[in-house]
Amino acid sequence: MSPSPTPRTAGRKKDPEIDRAVLSATLDLLEETGYAAITISQVASRVGVYRPAIYRRWPSKQHLVAEAVASALGQEPTPDTGDLRADLLTGIGTLGAAFTSTTLSRVLPALVADLAGHPELRREFLDSVFQPRRASTARRLRTAAERGDIRPDFDMEFVLDALAAPLYYRALFGHGPVTPDVTGQSVDLVLAFLTPPATPR
């Protein structure tokens, strides 16, 4: 009687080293070839793995690029040092730094266009890029409000949009440069809105 075949496992465990290598190779290839030209085969060849190893982790090129963008932007950009302006400049400044790189400035418009036609991918992108970054800044703003540094009666979602919108807008349309001055103006404009009214004497 021949031995029974060894049953297949439900799936292989992810290897963090391979994940990092794939995301790094993806960013390198995006820089070299652009969003439209990059393929899973190119990434696999660059890392030295077979394509199925990548497809087990990311079901499409769009999913892979979205996570690569997330890895480049970071998920916890805004620290809490006690200086709200400095913390916001650091957090929003990570967007400015990313958008001044050739890679993300070229990738973002094409990726956003793809997101419009793929609701599931759009949700994943929001979960992996937008929401963690926004949550980091929101925590800092709540702490500042609790300390009395800013007024507490504000629309958090609007403020988070207002902080980053000028940078995203310029990165998407390219009508103006993304500079530290733009970051500073965005932060100062929002802080002026959040400044508590002076207490009458």
Side-chain angles (χ1 to χ4, degrees), residues 23 31 36 41 45 55 62 65 98 107 136 143-144 147 157 159 171 197-198:
L23 294 174
E31 176 73 23
S41 294
S45 177
Y55 279 117
Q62 289 82 2
V65 171
V107 168
S136 170
T143 300
R147 292 174 180 168
E157 294 301 309
V159 166

Side-chain angles (χ1 to χ4, degrees), residues 24-40:
S24 177
T26 300
L27 289 171
D28 289 343
L29 284 166
L30 286 168
E31 176 73 23
E32 295 169 17
T33 69
Y35 179 78
I38 191 173
T39 66
I40 295 292

Side-chain angles (χ1 to χ4, degrees), residues 24 26 66 89 103 106-107 120 138 140-141 152 159 162 165 167 181:
S24 177
T26 300
L89 286 173
T103 303
R106 290 167 57 192
V107 168
E120 179 185 351
R140 181 65 189 93
L141 289 167
V159 166
L167 282 75
D181 284 343

Side-chain angles (χ1 to χ4, degrees), residues 90-124:
T90 297
I92 304 304
T94 61
L95 282 178
F99 291 157
T100 53
S101 75
T102 305
T103 303
L104 289 188
S105 64
R106 290 167 57 192
V107 168
L108 188 64
L111 180 59
V112 169
D114 271 359
L115 294 178
H118 296 79
E120 179 185 351
L121 178 59
R122 177 179 174 275
R123 285 193 298 272
E124 290 186 17

Side-chain angles (χ1 to χ4, degrees), residues 47-168:
V47 178
V49 299
Y50 293 109
R51 287 191 306 166
I54 295 179
Y55 279 117
R56 279 195 296 270
R57 294 164 169 80
W58 298 277
S60 71
K61 178 180 86 169
Q62 289 82 2
H63 286 82
L64 173 57
V65 171
E67 187 162 339
V69 169
S71 72
L73 288 174
Q75 296 183 328
E76 291 284 338
T78 309
D80 187 354
T81 67
D83 183 334
L84 178 59
R85 183 178 187 274
D87 293 340
L88 292 178
L89 286 173
T90 297
I92 304 304
T94 61
L95 282 178
F99 291 157
T100 53
S101 75
T102 305
T103 303
L104 289 188
S105 64
R106 290 167 57 192
V107 168
L108 188 64
L111 180 59
V112 169
D114 271 359
L115 294 178
H118 296 79
E120 179 185 351
L121 178 59
R122 177 179 174 275
R123 285 193 298 272
E124 290 186 17
F125 184 77
L126 290 175
D127 289 344
S128 63
V129 179
F130 266 63
Q131 301 308 336
R133 292 183 59 86
R134 289 167 73 86
S136 170
T137 306
R139 284 191 295 272
R140 181 65 189 93
L141 289 167
R142 290 191 191 97
T143 300
E146 291 168 0
R147 292 174 180 168
D149 297 340
I150 58 176
R151 60 188 182 88
D153 56 332
F154 63 91
D155 182 333
M156 178 67 77
E157 294 301 309
F158 175 81
V159 166
L160 294 173
D161 286 344
L163 281 167
L167 282 75
Y168 279 112

